[in-house]
Amino acid sequence: MEVAVERRRRCRFQVRWPLWIYVAGRTQPIEGVTENLCSNGFYCIVGAPVPKGQAVSCLIELPSGAHGELMPLFLSCRAVVLRVESCSAAGRFGLACRITDYSIQCGNL
């Protein structure tokens, strides 16, 4: 029996947080939800494909209220799409993205 070897350098956390992906040339963001997240990337399920290699801007909504925040918190990041997968759910796509830059934003969208 073959044992799977973990190749990732950083620990991934299983989180299902709402996100919005902004692609140059699109008037509306692509909505989705994260599946996992680490310090240099994330995997998400979205409603439209994004080409591999595409640079994107993202907003990931962080859980609020845990530390007494009154306003929503967002992880605002720039990322590059590394992998695109068609999901079994019709019209859904999995994106693996590498984060190139990020900041935390407080407030409404």
Side-chain angles (χ1 to χ4, degrees), residues 14 16 35 39 43 46 53 68 72-73 75 83 88 95 100 109:
Q14 304 300 312
R16 296 190 50 80
E35 291 286 314
S39 63
Y43 185 81
V46 296
L73 290 176
L75 175 67
R83 188 175 73 248
S88 58
L95 302 181
T100 58
L109 284 178

Side-chain angles (χ1 to χ4, degrees), residues 5-103:
V5 176
E6 178 59 59
R7 298 181 306 182
R8 294 179 181 131
R9 287 180 261 165
R10 293 184 171 89
C11 180
R12 292 219 171 224
F13 297 94
Q14 304 300 312
V15 293
R16 296 190 50 80
W17 297 339
L19 87 149
W20 296 265
I21 296 180
Y22 298 85
V23 180
R26 290 185 64 112
T27 58
Q28 297 292 317
I30 300 169
E31 294 185 37
V33 63
T34 61
E35 291 286 314
N36 60 57
L37 174 74
C38 75
S39 63
N40 69 342
F42 60 89
Y43 185 81
C44 62
I45 305 297
V46 296
V50 178
K52 180 181 175 182
Q54 176 76 49
V56 297
S57 295
C58 307
L59 277 179
I60 300 172
E61 187 173 358
L62 303 175
S64 60
H67 297 63
E69 301 95 14
L70 298 176
M71 301 287 286
L73 290 176
F74 296 92
L75 175 67
S76 174
C77 62
R78 292 189 191 117
V80 175
V81 177
L82 302 177
R83 188 175 73 248
V84 183
E85 302 172 336
S86 181
C87 294
S88 58
R92 305 302 283 171
F93 299 86
L95 302 181
C97 298
R98 184 185 71 235
I99 296 172
T100 58
D101 189 29
Y102 71 92
S103 65

Side-chain angles (χ1 to χ4, degrees), residues 1-5:
M1 182 162 113
E2 202 171 304
V3 176
V5 176

